[in-house]
Amino acid sequence: MLRVYFFRSVSVRYYSTLLKDVRVRFAPSPTGLLHLGGLRTALFNYLFARKNKGKFVLRIEDTDRKRIKPGSVENLNAMLEWTGLIPDESPEKGGQFGPYIQSERLEKYREKAELLLQSGAAYRCFCSETRLDILRKEALRTRESRGYDNKCRHLEPSEIEHLLNEKTPFTIRFKIPKGPVSHNDVVFGPQSYDVSENEGDFIIMKSDGFPTYHFASVVDDHLMEISHVLRGTEWLISTPKHILLHQALGWQPPRFAHLPLLTNSDRSKLSKRQESIGIEHFKGKGYSPIALLNFLAVAGGGFGSQEGCIAYDLDTLCSKFNLEEVNTGSCIVDLRKLDLFNHSYLVQQLSSQKSLSNLIKELRTILRKKYGERYEKEEKNLSDSYIQKILFCYKDRMHTLNHLTEPDMEYLWTAVDWKDIEEKFISLKIPSSVITNLKNVYNFLFALPDSEFNQDGLIPKLKSLSKQLNVPYSSLMRAMRIVLTAQKDGPGIAEIIDMLGKKRCLEKLNFAVGKIENCLDVSN
């Protein structure tokens, strides 16, 4: 039976924020794109390092060669740079404790494994994959999860020598000592787990000469002088193994802090295979890195009481962060909060001219990517002041800048196609008497003083105009909406006219009137 003993005291704190020589590491495997869980781990390591004036190290753990996916490291570096979580030491930046890629450190692992063999803390295992597979199947049949039966631990020296002479493939296993292993986790408090009672001796070096995760991470944490290991709570059960390895090598283990699990709304674990949790996905959706970091910061505690979804900068997040306040319970990823954080960020950006200018540039980049030549043809009409007006008009309604490029907003940035206008006239059965009166609408708006070209004054004037023209007001407004937006629904016509401005409204109306008159000439 598996026995795990976890203890937590409410009144005792296990960690002081007054620390020296702090070195933490973010050590992902290159097995896919960086996702929410990975970024949250990187963020908490980054904040802890900055809070204590320490170092934030990026290490690539690529010893599981079968699971490596091309492009993973490039994506990781790009997303860390995008979010501003720049490592102090990394494969790209270098540092005095490199290399920072595990596949380039194989000699170090072999050297330490040899020390464990010499001390008797490890042994060679010659069991074949076939035998190990039989053990696994038997464990499933009997519903026992002990694992390896430690057969090769008891081989005689003569047997080992014979097998080596026969060049029989072997792994190196760590000899688990008896008795529970105890430690104080910074987040979860006192922990005790008897590895020997529940598991068999585990592999530290594979037959291909590569170390396992458990061994390589321990060796690297010591050689890179890592003071604290902040990682996901799924590694809490493995920590006793890592402590035993440190002790067997005569090393002092780092302090461990395990972060709460991020889950879906149904409490299932977030999976790397979920495209919707990849950081690239959120970047593509138009979320700002600051909003995303704040969203992850509040997932699991560590920042005191929260009042609303306010998007703080990294320096402020750092000042608020306390590792000892992180929760132990898993936390649901509620993406509605991400919308609120991004809205907070956008409102902040509108508050100063410098950040507003940057926001306008960012929106132009999005528009150019979204509409291509259609945007470029219209760009001359899209002044900074025009874009600024749109941003302020929608500041209470937009969660991302991408919201401004949704289909019903397209008319703000591109010229309307005449075919779309024609199709809407026909499908909505706009009377010809209304269509032919659009020239009178153009003349009316052209003569209207700029001071009266606003939402408050337009509605009564347009109603009065419809009476003068003897056409139904609703039909006239629908025709104007089609000409200005090529859509049958949307904001009120006065709001559309106000947002587009007098110059662009007249251009769009003049374009439509010209097409209508050409059609009339052809029909005559």
Side-chain angles (χ1 to χ4, degrees), residues 141-310:
R141 188 184 68 81
T142 59
R143 297 185 179 181
E144 292 182 357
S145 58
R146 181 169 179 77
Y148 183 59
D149 60 359
N150 299 350
K151 175 181 180 292
C152 290
R153 181 198 274 216
H154 309 292
L155 291 176
E156 295 293 335
S158 59
E159 293 179 276
I160 296 172
E161 185 178 357
H162 173 73
L163 289 165
L164 288 174
N165 289 335
E166 291 291 317
K167 299 189 183 303
T168 306
F170 64 87
T171 61
I172 299 177
R173 290 184 182 269
F174 180 71
K175 191 182 295 181
I176 301 173
K178 291 186 177 180
V181 180
S182 301
H183 70 101
N184 270 344
D185 189 85
V186 176
V187 175
F188 283 81
Q191 308 291 307
S192 184
Y193 176 58
D194 193 328
V195 186
S196 65
E197 185 178 325
N198 296 292
E199 302 180 37
D201 295 337
F202 58 90
I203 295 173
I204 59 173
M205 293 292 291
K206 294 175 282 188
S207 59
D208 62 1
F210 278 78
T212 59
Y213 164 79
H214 297 298
F215 189 53
S217 65
V218 165
V219 172
D220 288 344
D221 286 345
H222 175 75
L223 296 182
M224 293 182 180
E225 298 183 8
I226 300 301
S227 63
H228 294 74
V229 173
L230 281 64
R231 59 189 179 189
T233 190
E234 65 268 25
W235 294 109
L236 185 59
I237 195 69
S238 299
T239 301
K241 292 181 183 178
H242 301 164
I243 292 173
L244 289 173
L245 284 168
H246 274 95
Q247 292 172 346
L249 288 162
W251 299 338
Q252 178 67 37
R255 291 298 309 277
F256 292 95
H258 290 85
L259 309 175
L261 194 67
L262 298 181
T263 69
N264 297 300
S265 57
D266 61 359
R267 292 290 181 180
S268 62
K269 181 182 175 183
L270 294 182
S271 169
K272 285 185 179 181
R273 296 177 181 85
Q274 292 174 248
E275 180 185 345
S276 60
I277 69 164
I279 306 308
E280 191 84 54
H281 169 80
F282 293 104
K283 180 183 179 184
K285 288 288 186 181
Y287 291 102
S288 74
I290 288 297
L292 192 57
L293 293 178
N294 275 268
F295 170 68
L296 291 172
V298 300
F303 296 86
S305 59
Q306 298 292 318
E307 296 182 5
C309 296
I310 303 172

Side-chain angles (χ1 to χ4, degrees), residues 49-64:
R50 293 293 175 266
K51 180 98 175 184
N52 294 284
K53 302 187 186 308
K55 298 294 184 182
F56 172 52
V57 179
L58 172 64
R59 184 172 77 219
I60 304 300
E61 300 195 338
D62 63 342
T63 57
D64 192 344

Side-chain angles (χ1 to χ4, degrees), residues 49 54 153 181 204 254 337 347 358 367 369 400 427 434 437 507:
R153 181 198 274 216
V181 180
I204 59 173
K337 285 188 176 180
V347 170
N358 291 333
L367 295 172
K369 183 178 180 180
T400 70
S427 64
V434 173
N437 266 302
E507 285 179 354

Side-chain angles (χ1 to χ4, degrees), residues 18 47 60 116 182 221 279 286 347 356 379 402 457 461 481 496:
L18 301 176
L47 294 177
I60 304 300
L116 292 177
S182 301
D221 286 345
I279 306 308
V347 170
L356 175 58
E379 190 173 11
N402 283 23
K461 290 182 174 61
R481 183 191 304 282
I496 291 172

Side-chain angles (χ1 to χ4, degrees), residues 374-389:
R374 294 175 63 203
Y375 165 76
E376 291 173 2
K377 287 180 180 178
E378 192 73 0
E379 190 173 11
K380 65 181 184 301
N381 292 318
L382 307 178
S383 65
D384 283 358
S385 60
Y386 170 75
I387 295 179
Q388 178 178 316
K389 181 172 70 170

